């Protein structure tokens, strides 16, 4: 009986050590990418209103994408101010409406990260493609679609969103094209 107790104690001790070790592993790229995507969709996924309420998040987008978003938002705010001071303050300014970062104008009610694939393209430069599946049950019939989020990690500085390839339901093929079209519209 004493031997059984000793063996059982050793077994429980080893089992508890194994559980502690598994929790101490370093985060891999997929975990880091998932955190970036969760922050992105939590902050900007549903509608464009968040772009007006807070500064654009640091280290979420590549510098070029972030700059373009800021230019569009600033042009929109300037147009709002111009119209507010005009003889026709009830006119509608140029504003970002709907879900700018997804294929469907109405946005989504649910999303799921389906897969993440990373590649090293240069020493210390990695890219990743994440497939995101969306669902919108607020419209009838329910709509589901997939998009591909392209990320880059330059010099191990952290993952940033570089582009989003939209589903065929979108009016444009990707985020860069949408931002370019918006910028052109706001410059008219």
């Amino acid at each position: 009986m004493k031997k059984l107790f000793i063996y059982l104690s050793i077994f429980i001790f080893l089992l508890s050590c194994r559980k502690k070790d598994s929790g101490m592993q370093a985060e891999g790229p997929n975990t880091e990418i998932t955190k970036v995507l969760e922050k992105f969709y939590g902050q900007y996924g549903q509608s464009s209103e968040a772009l007006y309420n807070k500064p654009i998040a640091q280290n979420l987008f590549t510098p070029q994408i972030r700059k373009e978003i800021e230019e569009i938002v600033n042009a929109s705010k300037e147009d709002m101010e111009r119209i507010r001071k005009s003889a026709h303050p009830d006119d509608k300014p140029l504003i970002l409406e709907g879900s700018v970062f997804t294929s469907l104008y109405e946005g989504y009610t649910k999303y799921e990260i389906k897969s993440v694939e990373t590649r090293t393209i240069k020493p210390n430069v990695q890219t990743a493609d994440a497939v995101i599946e969306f669902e919108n049950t607020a419209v009838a019939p329910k709509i589901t679609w997939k998009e591909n989020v392209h990320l880059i990690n330059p010099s191990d500085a952290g993952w940033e969103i570089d582009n989003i390839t939209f589903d065929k339901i979108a009016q444009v093929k990707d985020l860069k094209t949408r931002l370019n079209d918006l910028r052109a519209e706001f410059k008219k």
Side-chain angles (χ1 to χ4, degrees):
M1 187 69 165
K2 191 175 185 181
K3 285 184 180 182
L4 179 64
F5 180 74
I6 292 173
Y7 289 129
L8 185 59
S9 298
I10 292 172
F11 175 76
I12 292 172
F13 173 75
L14 293 174
L15 186 64
S16 68
C17 289
R18 193 174 114 196
K19 284 184 182 179
K20 287 180 185 174
D21 287 344
S22 66
M24 301 293 278
Q25 294 175 358
E27 290 183 353
N30 288 1
T31 304
E32 295 168 16
I33 292 167
T34 298
K35 285 181 179 181
V36 168
L37 293 171
E38 287 173 349
K39 180 179 178 183
F40 169 64
Y41 286 113
Q43 198 164 351
Y44 299 113
Q46 297 279 335
S47 79
S48 59
E49 289 179 28
L51 295 171
Y52 291 102
N53 299 334
K54 301 177 192 173
I56 306 302
Q58 293 286 340
N59 301 323
L60 191 56
F61 300 99
T62 58
Q64 182 62 37
I65 296 290
R66 185 169 190 258
K67 179 183 174 201
E68 289 180 26
I69 294 168
E70 287 174 340
E71 286 174 3
I72 292 166
V73 170
N74 289 337
S76 178
K77 287 178 179 179
E78 288 171 10
D79 196 50
M80 286 181 213
E81 187 64 21
R82 180 188 62 77
I83 289 176
R84 188 180 69 75
K85 292 179 178 179
S86 75
H88 304 285
D90 294 336
D91 286 353
K92 185 175 178 180
L94 291 171
I95 58 173
L96 295 170
E97 296 180 297
S99 179
V100 174
F101 299 111
T102 65
S103 299
L104 190 65
Y105 176 88
E106 292 83 4
Y108 60 87
T109 54
K110 177 182 164 189
Y111 78 92
E112 182 180 349
I113 301 167
K114 293 305 250 184
S115 65
V116 176
E117 182 181 316
T118 60
R119 291 174 299 291
T120 301
I121 56 173
K122 296 179 188 173
N124 296 326
V125 178
Q126 293 180 300
T127 63
D129 289 316
V131 176
I132 314 296
E133 184 175 82
F134 295 94
E135 180 179 283
N136 187 323
T137 56
V139 295
K142 170 182 89 169
I143 298 174
T144 59
W145 72 97
K146 290 182 181 176
E147 297 178 357
N148 195 338
V149 180
H150 310 282
L151 300 102
I152 190 163
N153 184 358
S155 304
D156 292 325
W159 291 97
E160 299 173 327
I161 296 169
D162 186 44
N163 201 2
I164 301 170
T165 302
F166 295 129
D167 188 84
K168 62 186 176 199
I169 62 173
Q171 300 292 325
V172 294
K173 68 176 185 166
D174 61 16
L175 177 62
K176 288 182 178 181
T177 303
R178 178 171 285 163
L179 293 175
N180 191 38
D181 291 351
L182 286 168
R183 193 172 57 246
E185 183 180 325
F186 279 51
K187 286 185 178 183
K188 288 181 184 178

